[in-house]
């Protein structure tokens, strides 16, 4: 299953141990098994937005935010290297 960025949420935990606990819960609890998750850094886990309430109801504590991708404009000479002029 693939997700659009707008369908994902970043869960910010206070420690790496809390992220590990969340991953263990996702992998081991029957009703969470199969919930897609991606550790972004030591304290952040990306999950589909429908997983946020489920994890909170399990007693996990985290801050939720949307995920944004920053796009930086490329200089013209770099663009032409990537996409040569016809």
């Amino acid at each position: 299953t693939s997700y659009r960025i707008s369908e994902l949420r970043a869960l910010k935990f206070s420690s790496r141990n809390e992220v590990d606990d969340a991953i263990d819960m996702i992998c081991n609890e029957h009703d969470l098994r199969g919930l897609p998750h991606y550790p972004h850094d030591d304290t952040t886990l990306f999950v589909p937005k429908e997983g946020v309430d489920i994890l909170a109801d399990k007693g996990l504590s985290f801050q939720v935010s949307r995920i944004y991708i920053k796009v930086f404009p490329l200089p013209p000479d770099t663009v032409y290297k990537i996409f040569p002029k016809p």
Side-chain angles (χ1 to χ4, degrees), residues 59-77:
L60 297 175
S61 180
F62 47 80
Q63 294 178 352
V64 181
S65 61
R66 293 186 68 156
I67 299 170
Y68 296 96
I69 296 177
K70 293 181 181 179
V71 178
F72 298 96
L74 297 173
D77 60 327

Side-chain angles (χ1 to χ4, degrees), residues 9-61:
R9 296 296 179 263
L11 309 182
K12 183 76 169 175
F13 294 86
S14 60
S15 72
R16 174 63 195 196
N17 287 339
E18 290 183 8
V19 172
D20 291 340
D21 291 344
I23 292 171
D24 286 345
M25 189 178 287
I26 290 168
C27 293
N28 295 315
E29 292 199 14
H30 178 64
D31 57 335
L32 292 175
R33 208 169 294 143
L35 178 69
H37 59 284
Y38 176 77
H40 174 65
D41 58 27
D42 284 346
T43 58
T44 307
L45 189 65
F46 291 169
V47 299
K49 62 184 175 183
E50 63 268 13
V52 174
D53 289 338
I54 296 168
L55 293 171
D57 289 345
K58 295 285 184 178
L60 297 175
S61 180

